[in-house]
């Protein structure tokens, strides 16, 4: 990560939704400002799938440490019907 990289901070939260498909697929990019450990960022730059009912974290995708877009795909089939 460059020393002159943007320092944006914040949280983006979606409206609750019901899982109705086998997979959730999305694009990720970005850095965390820390060196990756085993290819994963140890810090706070991440995407989480949280069950609305009890705030349990079901999946986490850490910063991929790249400037290009990559695909993240989670098999959420065992959570079908969960909001």
């Amino acid at each position: 990560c460059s020393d002159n990289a943007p320092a944006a901070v914040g949280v983006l939260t979606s409206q609750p939704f019901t899982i109705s498909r086998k997979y959730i697929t999305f694009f990720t990019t970005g850095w965390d400002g820390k060196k990756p450990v085993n290819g994963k960022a140890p810090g706070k730059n991440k995407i989480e799938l949280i069950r609305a009912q009890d705030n349990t974290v079901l999946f986490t995708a850490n910063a991929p440490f790249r400037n290009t877009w990559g695909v993240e795909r989670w098999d959420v089939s065992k959570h079908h019907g969960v909001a």
Side-chain angles (χ1 to χ4, degrees), residues 33-82:
K34 298 178 183 176
K35 291 183 179 181
V37 176
N38 296 326
K40 298 292 183 180
K44 296 180 181 181
N45 188 3
K46 58 188 168 190
I47 299 169
E48 295 180 322
L49 179 61
I50 301 173
R51 186 170 43 220
Q53 179 183 11
D54 60 6
N55 291 325
T56 297
V57 177
L58 302 177
F59 291 90
T60 299
N62 293 307
F65 279 84
R66 63 178 178 254
N67 291 326
T68 57
W69 291 100
V71 175
E72 184 77 31
R73 185 177 191 195
W74 294 335
D75 180 347
V76 294
S77 57
K78 73 178 185 177
H79 302 289
H80 190 269
V82 172

